[in-house]
Every structure is written in structure tokens, then in C-alpha cells.
Amino acid sequence: MTSARTLSGAEQFCFDLKMLKRATFVGETTGGVAHSGVWYRIDDHFGMGIPETTPINPFSKTDWEGTGVEPDVKVKASDALKTAEKLAESKLQRKRASESPATL
């Protein structure tokens, strides 16, 4: 489950699992904060943030900076848990149905 407030390391976890096709994400597009860096003070009134890392995924050859990680199932964050539960129940029922012996 994701929201617009899912940021940074949590986004990398989501992005990597999505690229590996290991999870289904439900919710909102994440915040798009990929590049970490350092804040440098210039004087008493000014400073500058300098990105120092770019987490490039080896499969996508990119990251999620500025765009976020798009969920597989888009719903409001407040509805994500309920939606994820319904999806899991549905998948479990389909799996059970396919494993049960056919009745004549």
C-alpha cells in the first residue's frame, strides 16, 4: 500500500519490487523523492541542497525522482487497505478453486 506520503527508502523498496514483478501495489503514486544529498549553508540567509546519490535500478535504468512509483491499483490511500484485502481474498479464492478436484 502506498500514498503520496510514501517517500525515499520506502519508495526504493516499492520501485525495486515493482521492477522485479514481486508485488502488487495498491494506493496512490508515491512522492517521487529518490535523490538524497546534503544541505550546504552559504551564509546566514541562503543554503543549497546538492544531490549526492541517484539510485538507478538495473532493470529500468532509471529511478523515481519527481515522478514517484505508480501503483498497480490506483485508489485513495484511505481505501488502500480495504482494496488490498479484497484483492488478496479474490486471488486466494481463485487459487483454491483451481486446486480443488473437479466434481462430476
Side-chain angles (χ1 to χ4, degrees):
M1 296 176 296
T2 59
S3 77
R5 293 174 50 186
T6 303
L7 305 170
S8 194
E11 285 180 289
Q12 181 165 6
F13 182 70
C14 295
F15 191 80
D16 290 344
L17 287 178
K18 186 170 182 165
M19 292 300 109
L20 292 169
K21 296 178 174 40
R22 295 286 185 140
T24 299
F25 290 95
V26 179
E28 300 170 343
T29 301
T30 64
V33 181
H35 302 167
S36 62
V38 177
W39 181 260
Y40 294 96
R41 172 72 48 202
I42 295 173
D43 64 20
D44 290 341
H45 304 286
F46 296 98
M48 177 185 298
I50 306 291
E52 293 187 336
T53 62
T54 304
I56 301 299
N57 181 281
F59 295 102
S60 68
K61 308 287 189 239
T62 186
D63 65 21
W64 59 94
E65 178 70 28
T67 60
V69 180
E70 195 169 314
D72 300 299
V73 180
K74 292 183 183 183
V75 296
K76 287 190 265 183
S78 59
D79 297 331
L81 177 58
K82 185 183 288 187
T83 303
E85 288 172 342
K86 287 179 183 178
L87 287 169
E89 283 178 18
S90 175
K91 186 171 185 174
L92 186 57
Q93 288 174 355
R94 285 192 307 264
K95 181 176 171 135
R96 284 181 183 153
S98 70
E99 291 175 351
S100 65
T103 57
L104 297 174

